[in-house]
Amino acid sequence: MVSILNTLAIEAYEGRDVAIVDVPGAYLHADMPQTEGKIVLLKLKSDFVDIMCIVNEKFTHHVVYEGKTKVLYMKVLREIYGCL
């Protein structure tokens, strides 16, 4: 964080123009890093399960119930925004 503040201070002092750019959907194309022996699972519940089953009917075979709640576990293959 300190280096960012230093950079901003220098840019302001020198009167530089600064722009910030975001690439929409960049995470959709990035593979999830493979860590030996570990996988990342996404747990969807309730209405999200129904939405995913509408998108792809193959998911209906993997729906389970935890109590009265529909649950769908999915292996994450691509990066999720904010995933560390």
Side-chain angles (χ1 to χ4, degrees):
M1 184 72 175
V2 173
S3 62
I4 293 171
L5 294 176
N6 289 342
T7 302
L8 291 174
I10 292 168
E11 291 164 349
Y13 179 78
E14 294 179 353
R16 296 183 182 184
D17 292 326
V18 178
I20 297 173
V21 179
D22 185 18
V23 179
Y27 275 92
L28 298 175
H29 302 289
D31 291 330
M32 180 65 83
Q34 297 297 314
T35 306
E36 190 173 320
K38 295 183 180 181
I39 60 172
V40 177
L41 295 177
L42 179 65
K43 181 180 180 180
L44 302 176
K45 297 192 252 180
S46 304
D47 293 337
F48 292 108
V49 174
D50 296 331
I51 293 168
M52 289 305 293
C53 291
I54 290 169
V55 170
N56 189 337
E57 291 181 12
K58 293 179 183 178
F59 294 138
T60 58
H61 303 292
H62 303 286
V63 175
V64 296
Y65 284 85
E66 292 181 357
K68 294 182 179 183
T69 306
K70 287 184 187 179
V71 178
L72 179 63
Y73 290 95
M74 304 181 83
K75 181 180 177 182
V76 176
L77 301 176
R78 301 281 182 198
E79 279 284 353
I80 299 173
Y81 186 78
C83 187
L84 299 176

